[in-house]
Amino acid sequence: MIGELIALILSNFTVFCCLIWLLVSTVAVIRMPKPRQTHDVAEHFLGWFCFIVMGIYLIYNFIGHVFYGEMLAKFIGWPNSPFQAEVGYASLGFGVVGLFAYRGGQGIRFAAITAPAMFLWGAACGHVYQMITAGNFAPGNAGSVFWTDIIVPLVGFAVFYWRYGTVLPRKG
């Protein structure tokens, strides 16, 4: 039973990170002194989004692609390839920026959402291509990974907008 739960979490790690983000952010807001300002609530949600979803998740992606490439390739439904490591190192870079963005300013937070968004949306396009041309409906290609590749950046931009009132960082 525990093994199955661990397998479920690890094969749906982005969803798990999103749930943890919501839990941690909610607890942080509950612990805030009253009255709570919308700006401060949004600050907690954005900071933790950057740290957990853009940081921890993408570092997990790095670990999977670099150290467990053969297993991850099987999960995605692909043959193992040296490009796995390149995807992993890109994820490491995005993840580190996500960690720094936790308490960073508008610019680094925008970067922590935008760069991975391009990567994730590009991956989603690749997944669609694989579904259509190769009939690849493996869990790592057509399951929660596919949907979170699309939805997570949208959530990130929405929380950024909630916090700053803009979809682009302002000067100064």
Side-chain angles (χ1 to χ4, degrees):
M1 170 106 168
I2 297 293
E4 291 172 1
L5 178 62
I6 291 170
L8 179 68
I9 290 170
L10 294 179
S11 61
N12 295 283
F13 198 72
T14 315
V15 173
F16 177 73
C17 283
C18 289
L19 294 173
I20 295 299
W21 160 63
L22 289 171
L23 177 67
V24 169
S25 298
T26 301
V27 168
V29 168
I30 289 169
R31 295 184 62 198
M32 286 172 55
K34 293 180 183 175
R36 296 180 187 107
Q37 302 296 318
T38 302
H39 165 277
D40 296 324
V41 172
E43 176 65 27
H44 279 292
F45 275 86
L46 181 58
W48 285 114
F49 180 86
C50 289
F51 189 86
I52 295 170
V53 181
M54 295 289 105
I56 292 173
Y57 162 64
L58 287 165
I59 290 172
Y60 171 83
N61 200 45
F62 153 72
I63 291 168
H65 281 287
V66 171
F67 298 106
Y68 301 96
E70 190 171 322
M71 180 180 70
L72 199 57
K74 222 178 270 185
F75 176 68
I76 299 169
W78 293 349
N80 197 11
S81 161
F83 289 107
Q84 290 256 48
E86 292 184 17
V87 168
Y89 291 120
S91 295
L92 176 61
F94 297 141
V96 169
V97 173
L99 297 179
F100 285 130
Y102 168 64
R103 289 285 179 223
Q106 228 181 9
I108 193 167
R109 286 176 166 182
F110 183 74
I113 295 166
T114 303
M118 301 303 105
F119 169 71
L120 294 171
W121 287 337
C125 291
H127 294 308
V128 168
Y129 180 80
Q130 287 294 307
M131 286 182 244
I132 293 170
T133 63
N136 181 353
F137 290 92
N141 192 65
S144 67
V145 171
F146 168 68
W147 293 106
T148 56
D149 280 356
I150 296 166
I151 295 167
V152 162
L154 295 173
V155 170
F157 286 121
V159 176
F160 184 89
Y161 181 82
W162 179 30
R163 167 60 181 88
Y164 294 111
T166 181
V167 292
L168 296 172
R170 295 183 183 121
K171 286 187 172 185

